[in-house]
Amino acid sequence: MQRVRIRIKGIVQGVGFRPFVYSLAEKYSLRGFCLNDSEGVLIDVEGTDIDGFIGELKTRHPPLARIESLSVENLRPVRYSGFTIKESQTCSKSLPVIPPDTAICQDCLRELFTREDRRYLYPFINCTNCGPRYSIIEEVPYDRCNTTMRTFQMCKDCLEEYTNPADRRFHAQPNACWQCGPRVWLTDREGNTLCEDRDALQMAQTLLKEGAIVAVKGLGGFHLSCDAENHQAVRLLRQRKRRPTKPLAVMSCSIEMIKRYAMVNDTEERLLASPESPIVLLRKLPRSSLSALVAPDIDMFGVMLAYTPLHRLLTEGFTALVMTSGNLTDEPIAISNEEALNGLSAIADYFLLHNRPIHTRVDDSIVRTGKRGSLVIRRARGYTPRVVRMTVKGPELVAFGAEKKQSITLVTSGYAIMSQHIGELSTLKTLEFLRESLEKLKRLFSIEPTVVVHDMHPDYLTTRFAKEYAREHAIEQENIIAIQHHHAHIGSVMAEWGLEGEVVGVSFDGTGYGTDGCVWGGEFMVATRREFTREAHLLYIPMPGGEKVVQEPWRMAVSYLHALYGTGFDCYPEEFVRRVGERGINAMIKLIERRINSPLTSSAGRLFDAVASLTGLRDTASFEAEPAMILNSLAERTRDRGVYPFQIRENGTMEVDTLPMVDAIVEDVKRGVPPETVARRFHNTIVLMIVDVVDILCERTGIRDVALSGGVFQNMLVLEEVTERLERMGLGVYHNRAFPVNDGGLSLGQALIGLERVKKG
Ligand code: ZN
Ligand code: ZN
Ligand code: FE
């Protein structure tokens, strides 16, 4: 007889760990107890086969659990009489465990389609290993009475499962069935109920088949749905949503279905079927039955595997359904039935509703994979609110991010908690969503920030909001910290990888306010967690019309052409002049020459825009980065190894002169070189620019670690090529993985730098 005390740390609460321990103890005939406390799970057992027990603890634990450490201490046997799960011991200082929403598990899926099961076709089936979590939690601790499931009284059968430690629904807080749980119904756009339960799902399917647009209430909000194979329906959805070209996500019921229209490798298959179940960006098959309007001009589809029982039932029988966020442009997604009926009735013909309230809106996450692993591009459902350990300790803090792909980060006792993706901060409703998210996270994690961090841009809504917040909460001036945009990008990499000391940082993205008042975005720096010095940047070039250039890339093309050839229109590509018109070009030149509303920029994103326009791909953009995405898609189609010329000039900070490259591109375009070849050569050149400048900086400073961040690195061609080459030079290369490389990850970097600055005092 042997007795041990086992301490397990990591993600072990709210994930079915104790029932697992219970059944394992039974299997090995062990006696004793286990409990949750502030440090994780504590097990105290005695018996004869302790080793076998520990072995299985480590290897067969529930899918959502992550064991960070497991320590064993030998004790004198005390002859326990049985095995029990003891009451949780909570310690006020510990960080509460708030599990993320989780995709339906295999066991529940099996029951869902078992005719004899009492939950046969029940759209809200769940268990300890799966189901809604973060989206339904109102208060901590995570108990049914603190979730939106509070109003549903469990029936006898459900309660029995819930209280039986040997059951796979032991303490499954959202546990429910046809008898006692949430229900689903279908309405027209006036809100009149047409039918309920299984009929509602069936009728929704029939209507979708006929080409209708249905608003579907899901896990973290509404989707707008239509049959992805129905060209008319997709066109109608685009028209009504006023979303001409931005790719629409699709959802299918099985991996086999997905393989009919997209290429899926093992990593991608694992991701699609993971508990997080994000939208995965997959390469399109050359010919597929999906409407070309799902993702026009781009070689990828954003695909989800149905992740709730409701979605699983709905997608059955379709190759794929379009499942795009149920929102109006730049507004947060709708979560309540009323919100949806009011806001989406001009878009959807029918509404598939249910009565399990969504407390917190969470969009679908987006992930893409590459040769070297996956990148989270949008961090929301399934990932939020997982915490990151910070290696700096400091006061409680909130970092407000930037303005696009907004997220906020809160810090407490050595942990950072990033909010879900909030969206584009251009409407009051998104600002309201930000405020709401901040208040909820503060409450759930009991954080009261005494330090506020924001972007250096004086006009960002978040900057104003941060200052207002500081005033309202009497936060001292010295604890309001502004951080340069691209330093924050590099900081986010340092936070994610726990990097200390100096790094060479490369931040290529669209827009960020520079310390000289110019619009930065093609930046090379030497950075620590506290400071940075700008060592090099792409050539400054005017942005005629300011931010307007984002929607009208042709303006940037004119700016480069003007820098190269002045008003000598005969040097401009003829095609370009014909498409854009001399009047437009003249107007831009006037702005540039008279320096009216033409701030200087070193943005790499704007360079992509200009090239996309010069090559005739896009003169206007219906969403940010559209030209860059199309350029990237084209470049992937060829392996041309050509490189355009450029120059690295030294004058204090280095300047990468991009004009020789644009000149060569214009030559290629005039000679009728195919756009994919130009696109590829352009990509090759961007890679070379980065590698050359980093080489110089590493040589000069002796630094061996390089951090890459900023929206341009969502471009796998650039990211992978740059990483490979720098690694071949013996450098350590780091970039964001679990956090967005775009502005969605910015608040994490701000939080880290903010902490360091306060520490310094
Ligand atoms: Zn389950
Ligand atoms: Zn029930
Ligand atoms: Fe950025």
Side-chain angles (χ1 to χ4, degrees):
M1 174 82 81
Q2 202 191 347
R3 176 179 163 221
V4 289
R5 177 166 283 195
I6 304 165
R7 150 74 56 208
I8 304 173
K9 293 182 185 175
I11 304 172
V12 288
Q13 298 184 356
V15 291
F17 210 87
R18 288 172 304 161
F20 158 70
V21 172
Y22 183 92
S23 59
L24 207 57
E26 223 164 46
K27 178 174 170 189
Y28 285 92
S29 320
L30 305 184
R31 290 188 295 267
F33 66 88
C34 82
L35 58 82
N36 278 349
D37 64 9
S38 60
E39 288 182 68
V41 168
L42 187 73
I43 305 170
D44 189 328
V45 282
E46 57 188 25
T48 49
D49 189 3
I50 301 276
D51 290 346
F53 174 75
I54 294 176
E56 284 204 43
L57 268 186
K58 286 182 185 162
T59 53
R60 302 213 21 231
H61 57 74
L64 302 183
R66 298 253 190 314
I67 296 182
E68 278 177 14
S69 71
L70 184 151
S71 62
V72 182
E73 186 192 347
N74 283 302
L75 297 172
R76 266 228 319 274
V78 290
R79 306 217 156 267
Y80 286 119
S81 57
F83 191 89
T84 51
I85 295 177
K86 285 198 181 175
E87 278 298 299
S88 301
Q89 292 178 354
T90 44
C91 164
S92 61
K93 265 186 291 172
S94 72
L95 207 58
V97 177
I98 298 162
D101 298 296
T102 301
I104 185 168
C105 74
Q106 289 304 313
D107 292 330
C108 286
L109 208 50
R110 201 173 316 115
E111 286 181 8
L112 182 65
F113 290 107
T114 302
R115 211 169 270 278
E116 299 72 38
D117 196 276
R118 65 189 192 87
R119 291 189 182 85
Y120 179 55
L121 303 184
Y122 180 55
F124 302 96
I125 186 172
N126 68 82
C127 73
T128 331
N129 293 333
C130 75
R133 299 285 189 274
Y134 179 57
S135 61
I136 60 164
I137 296 175
E138 297 169 330
E139 293 283 343
V140 283
Y142 171 50
D143 263 324
R144 189 177 177 103
C145 60
N146 288 333
T147 70
T148 62
M149 284 299 293
R150 168 169 34 90
T151 50
F152 299 93
Q153 189 95 54
M154 270 185 273
C155 70
K156 205 171 126 277
D157 291 342
C158 284
L159 195 63
E160 161 109 29
E161 296 165 336
Y162 183 85
T163 47
N164 176 4
D167 196 279
R168 67 183 197 88
R169 293 197 168 86
F170 177 66
H171 282 196
Q173 308 304 346
N175 191 25
C177 73
W178 281 115
Q179 281 292 310
C180 65
R183 305 299 274 263
V184 58
W185 68 94
L186 186 79
T187 79
D188 61 16
R189 54 167 54 143
E190 273 83 48
N192 304 307
T193 302
L194 304 175
C195 49
E196 296 175 336
D197 297 336
R198 281 161 68 172
D199 295 341
L201 276 157
Q202 251 166 30
M203 186 160 172
Q205 287 186 302
T206 310
L207 293 164
L208 285 164
K209 276 255 148 69
E210 288 168 1
I213 294 167
V214 181
V216 180
K217 185 178 183 181
L219 187 60
F222 273 79
H223 283 123
L224 288 161
S225 183
C226 72
D227 182 354
E229 286 181 306
N230 187 326
H231 200 65
Q232 292 308 323
V234 181
R235 186 201 311 268
L236 193 65
L237 176 57
R238 283 205 175 278
Q239 272 166 8
R240 290 191 188 163
K241 212 188 168 192
R242 297 206 187 95
R243 180 161 155 154
T245 51
K246 195 172 176 184
L248 301 166
V250 296
M251 182 190 270
S252 294
C253 63
S254 67
I255 300 279
E256 290 66 50
M257 261 332 164
I258 296 172
K259 285 182 175 166
R260 289 192 188 176
Y261 55 88
M263 290 188 244
V264 187
N265 65 27
D266 290 350
T267 322
E268 287 155 350
E269 187 165 335
R270 257 197 313 274
L271 258 174
L272 286 163
S274 67
E276 293 85 6
S277 193
I279 295 173
V280 183
L281 300 185
L282 300 175
R283 215 157 268 289
K284 288 176 179 174
L285 282 183
R287 253 184 302 274
S288 83
S289 57
L290 300 201
S291 160
L293 288 176
V294 170
D297 296 331
I298 288 168
D299 288 346
M300 312 278 262
F301 283 128
V303 185
M304 294 176 265
L305 186 61
Y307 54 83
T308 73
L310 188 147
H311 291 129
R312 184 62 184 71
L313 293 167
L314 189 68
T315 47
E316 185 83 17
F318 291 92
T319 302
L321 290 177
V322 166
M323 279 285 183
T324 183
S325 317
N327 61 344
L328 301 175
T329 308
D330 288 351
E331 284 192 1
I333 60 173
I335 54 172
S336 76
N337 296 347
E338 296 67 41
E339 218 176 358
L341 283 165
N342 288 333
L344 305 176
S345 59
I347 306 175
D349 303 303
Y350 300 95
F351 290 76
L352 188 60
L353 305 175
H354 64 69
N355 59 348
R356 184 180 70 203
I358 299 169
H359 181 65
T360 296
R361 64 186 97 232
V362 215
D363 283 88
D364 296 313
S365 296
I366 304 178
V367 177
R368 73 177 300 177
T369 64
K371 284 184 220 151
R372 320 160 65 97
S374 50
L375 304 182
V376 174
I377 296 207
R378 187 208 273 166
R379 201 173 193 273
R381 178 181 50 76
Y383 298 92
T384 317
R386 256 187 232 159
V387 302
V388 201
R389 199 157 279 173
M390 296 293 249
T391 44
V392 216
K393 294 241 158 102
E396 297 192 329
L397 166 158
V398 55
F400 281 99
E403 197 164 62
K404 300 229 160 78
K405 305 188 168 68
Q406 169 71 24
S407 78
I408 56 171
T409 294
L410 288 155
V411 174
T412 182
S413 55
Y415 286 95
I417 302 132
M418 187 187 275
S419 74
Q420 66 272 43
H421 162 83
I422 291 172
E424 314 304 316
L425 262 197
S426 50
T427 63
L428 281 178
K429 284 201 176 164
T430 340
L431 191 63
E432 200 39 54
F433 181 21
L434 185 152
R435 194 193 304 271
E436 180 189 296
S437 306
L438 173 60
E439 290 308 321
K440 277 181 187 168
L441 287 172
K442 272 170 63 181
R443 211 160 92 175
L444 287 177
F445 290 93
S446 31
I447 299 174
E448 195 47 64
T450 53
V451 177
V452 162
V453 189
H454 62 84
D455 193 275
M456 208 170 246
H457 201 305
D459 298 329
Y460 275 172
L461 270 179
T462 44
T463 301
R464 278 185 256 162
F465 186 80
K467 287 183 174 160
E468 196 183 294
Y469 182 89
R471 198 168 335 110
E472 279 168 16
H473 291 79
I475 289 169
E476 292 160 49
Q477 199 57 40
E478 63 195 32
N479 286 337
I480 308 172
I481 302 171
I483 291 176
Q484 200 281 322
H485 190 93
H486 302 97
H487 186 209
H489 270 306
I490 299 307
S492 74
V493 180
M494 300 183 87
E496 190 175 340
W497 293 96
L499 299 179
E500 310 207 17
E502 284 184 317
V503 298
V504 167
V506 184
S507 186
F508 270 36
D509 76 344
T511 303
Y513 189 81
T515 51
D516 58 358
C518 292
V519 181
W520 292 10
E523 309 305 312
F524 298 84
M525 63 180 78
V526 167
T528 65
R529 294 161 157 234
R530 192 178 296 152
E531 313 288 346
F532 78 100
T533 45
R534 188 190 203 200
E535 300 288 348
H537 59 86
L538 297 184
L539 179 78
Y540 274 139
I541 196 104
M543 282 169 38
E547 278 302 306
K548 191 107 187 97
V549 297
V550 177
Q551 285 99 50
E552 300 185 14
W554 67 270
R555 290 171 180 248
M556 283 313 294
V558 174
S559 190
Y560 277 96
L561 291 171
H562 175 259
L564 275 166
Y565 319 116
T567 48
F569 286 2
D570 43 335
C571 297
Y572 291 26
E574 236 174 277
E575 264 300 305
F576 176 80
V577 178
R578 192 154 0 136
R579 282 198 322 269
V580 175
E582 284 196 22
R583 265 183 61 188
I585 297 175
N586 274 320
M588 289 311 111
I589 291 177
K590 222 169 261 169
L591 288 180
I592 294 166
E593 286 181 342
R594 297 184 188 167
R595 301 204 178 131
I596 302 166
N597 194 18
S598 296
L600 293 176
T601 188
S602 54
S603 162
R606 298 296 82 82
L607 178 57
F608 273 80
D609 287 351
V611 174
S613 174
L614 286 173
T615 44
L617 298 174
R618 275 288 188 281
D619 292 322
T620 59
S622 80
F623 60 96
E624 210 212 354
E626 182 184 27
M629 282 168 76
I630 293 170
L631 209 53
N632 182 206
S633 272
L634 275 184
E636 299 271 11
R637 290 183 197 168
T638 140
R639 299 210 165 271
D640 190 284
R641 304 177 72 96
V643 176
Y644 295 120
F646 60 91
Q647 237 183 41
I648 300 173
R649 263 199 305 270
E650 207 51 81
N651 63 26
T653 55
M654 285 183 281
E655 192 176 57
V656 184
D657 187 352
T658 48
L659 289 178
M661 173 179 74
V662 178
D663 187 28
I665 289 175
V666 169
E667 277 314 304
D668 269 0
V669 170
K670 284 183 183 164
R671 284 190 321 173
V673 175
E676 55 258 41
T677 309
V678 178
R680 182 68 187 213
R681 290 176 182 169
F682 168 67
H683 275 74
N684 296 344
T685 314
I686 292 288
V687 169
L688 195 63
M689 279 176 187
I690 295 175
V691 171
D692 278 0
V693 176
V694 168
D695 190 23
I696 294 171
L697 290 177
C698 287
E699 198 66 26
R700 199 174 281 175
T701 58
I703 298 170
R704 308 301 292 165
D705 286 336
V706 183
L708 312 173
S709 191
V712 168
F713 290 106
Q714 290 172 106
N715 184 318
M716 278 305 197
L717 192 53
V718 174
L719 181 71
E720 287 178 347
E721 288 275 313
V722 167
T723 308
E724 235 158 74
R725 293 215 206 168
L726 292 179
E727 283 185 349
R728 242 184 282 144
M729 289 156 57
L731 300 170
V733 185
Y734 302 87
H735 58 77
N736 306 95
R737 281 194 177 284
F739 294 88
V741 77
N742 57 47
D743 283 5
L746 209 69
S747 61
L748 181 66
Q750 291 177 337
L752 177 75
I753 300 166
L755 276 179
E756 288 284 356
R757 296 251 175 105
V758 219
K759 199 175 76 180
K760 191 184 170 194

